[in-house]
Amino acid sequence: MPRPIGSMTELPLGRNLSRAGVVLAASALLSVSLLLICRTFEPYAVLFGALFFFAASVTVLTGDIVGKLVYSIFLVQITVAILLPLSLYATLVGIIFFIPVFLLGDNSEKIDTIPLRKSMMLLLAGWLVSLVYVTVFSYSHRGFMLLFDAYLLLGFGVAYAIFVLLKLKILNAERLLFYVTLSGLVFAGSTLALYFYKGYAGEIFRDRFGMLVNINSNFLGLYVIMMFSCSFFTALFEKRSIVKKIFMYAVSVVYVAIIFMTASRGPLLGLVLIAAYVLWYKRSVKLLAVSLPCFAIAFFTVGSKVITRMLTPTTSDLLSDYGRVLLLEAAFKILRDNYYVLGIGMNNYAWMKFDYGFPIWFDSARSQGFSSHNLFIEIWLGWGILGLIGWLALNTGIIYKLLRSKSEKYSGMAKAIAFAVISYLFYGLVDSNIGNYSMSFTYFTLVGIAFFIIAQKPDPALIKQPKGEM
């Protein structure tokens, strides 16, 4: 009987120590490297990151503890990003670990086909064209930022690394999605803790959740709607454990409450789409009769701030909406000057918009300020028309293939990730977080799991037998 891949406890002692030695050496090298670049990053943050990952590598010698520690990165990264770019460090570690892990995986031949390769080629072509354009023919003298191009490229690297690690059975898809799903609770819980820590406990239900403690409510709402999709569909399709099913439904209720408390209008469309799909999927009059009153109660209680923002917007709300119009006007002027084809580099719109009529007083942060507030426009601006087509092809391909997945084992996961991506994209019509690596890390983690599910072979029981065969 072949031994399971990725299980260090079942490896011969020599092979076990050899693998641990490689990981330990790579982590030590990374730790030294992080300490040497302290002039770029905050010294104490780099020191903390170095010690954290060095400790993580040491635990390889203790067996399965390191596996659980790796999953914990997905659980807490969105929260610690306030103080420490953990997801960025995790990616840098992954780059160093990935090659030895891949080489030490005995079943690397299982990596036969990478899903949606053509879409990725279009995206990379868009990046290369924009890179050549801004550095050689157009804006090289303006000091364009390449950092956010690197962030997006790292995100795609995360997706494919997750795919390979799942194929090699070094990571487990169900466990990984579980930890990612619960990360929304950690994020919301840490935001709640900040209210108590800063003395705003009495304002929790009066404030747009997060604003008083400098947590962007729209950002929180976007993250939670993605996690709601993961928790709700996990519960809906759970068949093995009634305890897990109840727990995930409870988590889903918490997520809905948080979405309404943020008073962010973007996530509501995701909620409506998920509700509409479930009602169509179940085709149950009883479910419709129960769900509509529940949704109404939530909307008119914790969702009262959303109603207020829609029906009686404040001066700040109106100014924000007007700013979005100005941002889009500047964006289309830039697209026009670049023939609607060529990109200017990811997130460079943030400072370039001032040259195209956007008022300086509206965005005092300037080079690190407002994006176009539209994910698709931001991709188009950054990597040109090729990048936009590649982005649309990648995401629509993921959604289409997940919703048509024939894998019974991963049916719930497929629906969960499909609607998480759908919610992310619909939210992208009114805002863009493409420059936020911690958000991208979670999104691309889900994309990596999606690649893994898409690559699954159909269940033999679902394959139609030719006539005359039993």
Side-chain angles (χ1 to χ4, degrees), residues 407-423:
S407 173
E408 183 177 353
K409 179 179 180 181
Y410 297 110
S411 178
M413 293 178 63
K415 302 296 188 301
I417 297 173
F419 278 93
V421 172
I422 290 171
S423 300

Side-chain angles (χ1 to χ4, degrees), residues 258-322:
I258 294 170
I259 289 170
F260 283 125
M261 288 172 64
T262 63
S264 179
R265 294 163 290 187
L268 290 180
L269 184 55
L271 276 179
V272 172
L273 289 172
I274 292 172
Y277 175 81
V278 173
L279 291 173
W280 172 83
Y281 180 80
K282 290 292 187 179
R283 294 178 176 84
S284 169
V285 176
K286 291 182 180 179
L287 178 62
L288 179 63
V290 172
S291 59
L292 288 180
C294 290
F295 192 81
I297 291 171
F299 193 74
F300 287 102
T301 53
V302 292
S304 59
K305 288 189 287 292
V306 183
I307 302 173
T308 301
R309 291 193 72 205
M310 288 180 173
L311 300 181
T312 57
T314 64
T315 302
S316 177
D317 292 330
L318 292 173
L319 190 62
S320 174
D321 293 338
Y322 177 61

Side-chain angles (χ1 to χ4, degrees), residues 180-377:
V180 171
T181 300
L182 294 189
S183 66
L185 289 181
V186 178
F187 190 17
S190 63
T191 303
L192 182 64
L194 284 174
Y195 274 90
F196 286 92
Y197 177 74
K198 295 188 175 183
Y200 296 132
E203 303 296 322
I204 291 173
F205 292 102
R206 289 192 288 270
D207 180 40
R208 285 187 63 195
F209 190 57
M211 295 296 285
L212 271 179
V213 293
N214 296 321
I215 301 296
N216 189 304
S217 296
N218 294 324
F219 180 88
L220 179 58
L222 169 59
Y223 197 86
V224 171
I225 184 59
M226 294 169 63
M227 297 306 99
F228 168 76
S229 175
C230 295
S231 61
F232 180 77
F233 282 103
T234 297
L236 186 65
F237 286 89
E238 175 61 44
K239 297 179 180 178
R240 292 173 294 181
S241 171
I242 187 63
V243 174
K244 183 179 179 181
K245 193 179 189 74
I246 294 172
F247 175 72
M248 280 302 182
Y249 273 131
V251 170
S252 301
V253 171
V254 172
Y255 283 156
V256 170
I258 294 170
I259 289 170
F260 283 125
M261 288 172 64
T262 63
S264 179
R265 294 163 290 187
L268 290 180
L269 184 55
L271 276 179
V272 172
L273 289 172
I274 292 172
Y277 175 81
V278 173
L279 291 173
W280 172 83
Y281 180 80
K282 290 292 187 179
R283 294 178 176 84
S284 169
V285 176
K286 291 182 180 179
L287 178 62
L288 179 63
V290 172
S291 59
L292 288 180
C294 290
F295 192 81
I297 291 171
F299 193 74
F300 287 102
T301 53
V302 292
S304 59
K305 288 189 287 292
V306 183
I307 302 173
T308 301
R309 291 193 72 205
M310 288 180 173
L311 300 181
T312 57
T314 64
T315 302
S316 177
D317 292 330
L318 292 173
L319 190 62
S320 174
D321 293 338
Y322 177 61
R324 292 172 189 268
V325 174
L326 294 178
L327 288 168
L328 290 176
E329 287 179 353
F332 277 100
K333 290 177 183 178
I334 295 173
L335 288 171
R336 179 198 61 202
D337 276 12
N338 292 282
Y339 313 107
Y340 298 98
V341 173
L342 300 169
I344 60 172
M346 203 59 64
N347 230 48
N348 286 311
Y349 169 83
W351 67 265
M352 193 173 175
K353 61 181 180 286
F354 300 109
D355 296 337
Y356 287 83
F358 190 81
I360 294 176
W361 60 266
F362 216 113
D363 184 5
S364 58
R366 290 187 65 79
S367 65
Q368 296 181 358
F370 295 143
S371 68
S372 64
H373 274 55
N374 185 293
L375 176 63
F376 305 96
I377 295 295

